[in-house]
Coordinates of all heavy atoms in Angstrom, one line a residue:
A26 N 0.8 -1.2 0.0 CA 0.0 0.0 0.0 C 0.9 1.2 0.0 O 2.1 1.2 0.3 CB -0.9 0.0 1.2
P27 N 0.3 2.4 -0.4 CA 1.1 3.6 -0.3 C 1.6 3.9 1.1 O 1.1 3.4 2.1 CB 0.1 4.7 -0.6 CG -0.9 4.0 -1.5 CD -1.0 2.6 -0.9
A28 N 2.7 4.6 1.2 CA 3.4 4.8 2.5 C 2.5 5.4 3.6 O 2.5 5.0 4.7 CB 4.7 5.6 2.3
V29 N 1.7 6.4 3.1 CA 0.8 7.0 4.1 C -0.2 6.0 4.7 O -0.5 6.0 5.9 CB 0.1 8.2 3.4 CG1 -0.9 8.8 4.4 CG2 1.1 9.3 3.0
L30 N -0.8 5.2 3.8 CA -1.7 4.2 4.3 C -1.1 3.2 5.2 O -1.7 2.7 6.2 CB -2.4 3.5 3.0 CG -3.5 2.6 3.3 CD1 -4.6 3.2 4.1 CD2 -4.1 1.9 2.1
Q31 N 0.1 2.8 4.8 CA 0.9 1.8 5.7 C 1.1 2.4 7.1 O 1.0 1.7 8.1 CB 2.2 1.4 5.1 CG 2.1 0.6 3.8 CD 3.5 0.1 3.4 OE1 4.2 -0.4 4.1 NE2 3.7 0.2 2.1
F32 N 1.4 3.7 7.1 CA 1.7 4.4 8.4 C 0.4 4.4 9.2 O 0.4 4.2 10.4 CB 2.2 5.7 8.2 CG 2.6 6.5 9.4 CD1 3.6 6.1 10.3 CD2 1.8 7.6 9.8 CE1 3.9 6.8 11.4 CE2 2.1 8.3 11.0 CZ 3.1 7.9 11.8
L33 N -0.7 4.8 8.6 CA -2.0 4.8 9.3 C -2.4 3.5 9.8 O -3.0 3.4 10.9 CB -3.1 5.4 8.4 CG -2.9 6.9 8.0 CD1 -4.0 7.4 7.0 CD2 -2.8 7.8 9.2
R34 N -2.1 2.4 9.1 CA -2.5 1.1 9.5 C -1.8 0.6 10.8 O -2.3 -0.2 11.5 CB -2.2 0.1 8.4 CG -3.2 0.1 7.2 CD -2.8 -0.9 6.2 NE -3.7 -0.9 5.0 CZ -3.6 -1.6 3.9 NH1 -2.5 -2.3 3.8 NH2 -4.5 -1.5 3.0
T35 N -0.6 1.2 11.0 CA 0.1 0.8 12.3 C -0.7 1.3 13.5 O -0.4 0.7 14.6 CB 1.5 1.4 12.3 OG1 1.4 2.9 12.2 CG2 2.3 0.9 11.1
F36 N -1.6 2.2 13.4 CA -2.3 2.7 14.5 C -3.5 1.8 14.8 O -4.3 2.1 15.8 CB -2.8 4.1 14.3 CG -1.7 5.1 14.3 CD1 -1.0 5.5 13.2 CD2 -1.3 5.7 15.5 CE1 0.0 6.4 13.2 CE2 -0.2 6.6 15.6 CZ 0.4 7.0 14.4
T37 N -3.8 0.8 14.0 CA -4.9 -0.1 14.2 C -4.6 -1.2 15.3 O -5.5 -2.0 15.6 CB -5.4 -0.7 12.9 OG1 -4.3 -1.5 12.4 CG2 -5.8 0.3 11.9
N38 N -3.4 -1.2 15.8 CA -3.0 -2.1 16.8 C -3.9 -1.9 18.1 O -4.1 -0.8 18.5 CB -1.6 -2.0 17.2 CG -1.1 -2.9 18.3 OD1 -1.4 -2.7 19.5 ND2 -0.5 -4.0 17.9
P39 N -4.5 -3.0 18.6 CA -5.5 -2.8 19.7 C -4.9 -2.0 20.9 O -5.6 -1.1 21.5 CB -5.8 -4.2 20.1 CG -5.6 -5.0 18.9 CD -4.4 -4.4 18.2
F40 N -3.7 -2.3 21.3 CA -3.1 -1.5 22.4 C -2.9 0.0 22.1 O -3.2 0.8 22.9 CB -1.7 -2.1 22.7 CG -1.8 -3.2 23.7 CD1 -1.1 -4.4 23.5 CD2 -2.4 -3.1 24.9 CE1 -1.2 -5.5 24.3 CE2 -2.5 -4.2 25.8 CZ -1.9 -5.4 25.5
I41 N -2.5 0.2 20.9 CA -2.3 1.6 20.5 C -3.7 2.4 20.4 O -3.8 3.5 20.8 CB -1.6 1.7 19.1 CG1 -0.2 1.3 19.2 CG2 -1.7 3.1 18.5 CD1 0.6 1.3 18.0
L42 N -4.7 1.7 20.0 CA -6.1 2.3 20.0 C -6.5 2.6 21.5 O -7.1 3.7 21.7 CB -7.1 1.3 19.4 CG -6.9 1.1 17.9 CD1 -7.9 0.1 17.4 CD2 -7.1 2.4 17.1
I43 N -6.2 1.7 22.4 CA -6.5 2.1 23.8 C -5.7 3.3 24.3 O -6.3 4.2 25.0 CB -6.2 0.8 24.7 CG1 -7.2 -0.3 24.4 CG2 -6.3 1.2 26.2 CD1 -6.9 -1.6 25.2
L44 N -4.5 3.3 23.9 CA -3.7 4.5 24.4 C -4.2 5.8 23.7 O -4.2 6.8 24.4 CB -2.2 4.2 24.0 CG -1.5 3.1 24.7 CD1 0.0 3.0 24.3 CD2 -1.5 3.3 26.2
L45 N -4.6 5.7 22.5 CA -5.1 6.9 21.8 C -6.4 7.3 22.5 O -6.6 8.6 22.6 CB -5.4 6.6 20.3 CG -4.1 6.4 19.4 CD1 -4.6 6.0 18.0 CD2 -3.3 7.7 19.4
F46 N -7.2 6.4 22.9 CA -8.4 6.8 23.6 C -8.1 7.5 24.9 O -8.7 8.5 25.3 CB -9.3 5.5 23.9 CG -10.5 5.7 24.8 CD1 -11.6 6.4 24.3 CD2 -10.4 5.3 26.1 CE1 -12.7 6.6 25.1 CE2 -11.5 5.5 26.9 CZ -12.7 6.2 26.4
L47 N -7.1 6.9 25.7 CA -6.6 7.6 26.9 C -6.1 9.0 26.7 O -6.3 9.9 27.5 CB -5.6 6.7 27.6 CG -6.1 5.3 28.1 CD1 -5.0 4.6 28.8 CD2 -7.3 5.5 29.1
V48 N -5.4 9.1 25.5 CA -4.8 10.5 25.2 C -6.0 11.5 25.0 O -5.9 12.6 25.5 CB -4.0 10.4 23.9 CG1 -3.7 11.8 23.4 CG2 -2.7 9.7 24.2
V49 N -7.0 11.0 24.3 CA -8.2 11.9 24.1 C -8.8 12.3 25.5 O -9.2 13.4 25.7 CB -9.2 11.2 23.2 CG1 -10.5 12.1 23.1 CG2 -8.6 11.1 21.8
V50 N -9.0 11.3 26.4 CA -9.6 11.5 27.7 C -8.7 12.5 28.5 O -9.2 13.5 29.1 CB -9.8 10.2 28.4 CG1 -10.2 10.5 29.9 CG2 -10.8 9.3 27.7
M51 N -7.4 12.3 28.4 CA -6.5 13.2 29.2 C -6.5 14.6 28.6 O -6.2 15.5 29.4 CB -5.1 12.6 29.2 CG -4.9 11.4 30.1 SD -3.2 10.8 30.4 CE -2.9 10.2 28.8
V52 N -6.7 14.7 27.3 CA -6.7 16.1 26.7 C -7.9 16.9 27.4 O -7.7 18.1 27.7 CB -6.9 16.0 25.2 CG1 -7.3 17.4 24.7 CG2 -5.7 15.5 24.6
F53 N -9.0 16.2 27.6 CA -10.2 16.9 28.2 C -9.9 17.1 29.7 O -10.3 18.1 30.3 CB -11.4 16.1 28.0 CG -12.0 16.2 26.6 CD1 -11.6 15.3 25.6 CD2 -12.7 17.3 26.2 CE1 -12.1 15.4 24.3 CE2 -13.2 17.4 24.9 CZ -12.9 16.5 24.0
T54 N -9.4 16.1 30.4 CA -9.3 16.1 31.9 C -8.1 17.0 32.3 O -8.2 17.7 33.3 CB -9.2 14.7 32.5 OG1 -8.0 14.1 31.9 CG2 -10.4 13.9 32.2
D55 N -7.0 16.9 31.6 CA -5.8 17.6 32.1 C -5.6 19.0 31.4 O -4.8 19.8 31.9 CB -4.5 16.7 31.8 CG -4.6 15.4 32.6 OD1 -5.4 15.4 33.5 OD2 -3.8 14.5 32.3
I56 N -6.2 19.2 30.3 CA -6.0 20.4 29.5 C -7.2 21.3 29.4 O -7.3 22.4 29.8 CB -5.4 20.1 28.1 CG1 -4.0 19.4 28.3 CG2 -5.2 21.4 27.3 CD1 -3.4 18.9 27.0

């Protein structure tokens, strides 16, 4: 796949998705 699509696919890892969710929550709670 194109490089951009390959890079975006790396974020589909389940652990990374959980961390991204926590980042969003912390943006609201801490900032």
Side-chain angles (χ1 to χ4, degrees):
V29 175
L30 185 58
Q31 289 188 50
F32 181 69
L33 294 177
R34 284 178 179 174
T35 59
F36 290 93
T37 58
N38 182 278
F40 273 129
I41 291 181
L42 291 177
I43 292 177
L44 293 180
L45 289 176
F46 173 75
L47 293 179
V48 168
V49 173
V50 173
M51 286 189 292
V52 166
F53 285 95
T54 58
D55 297 347
I56 299 177

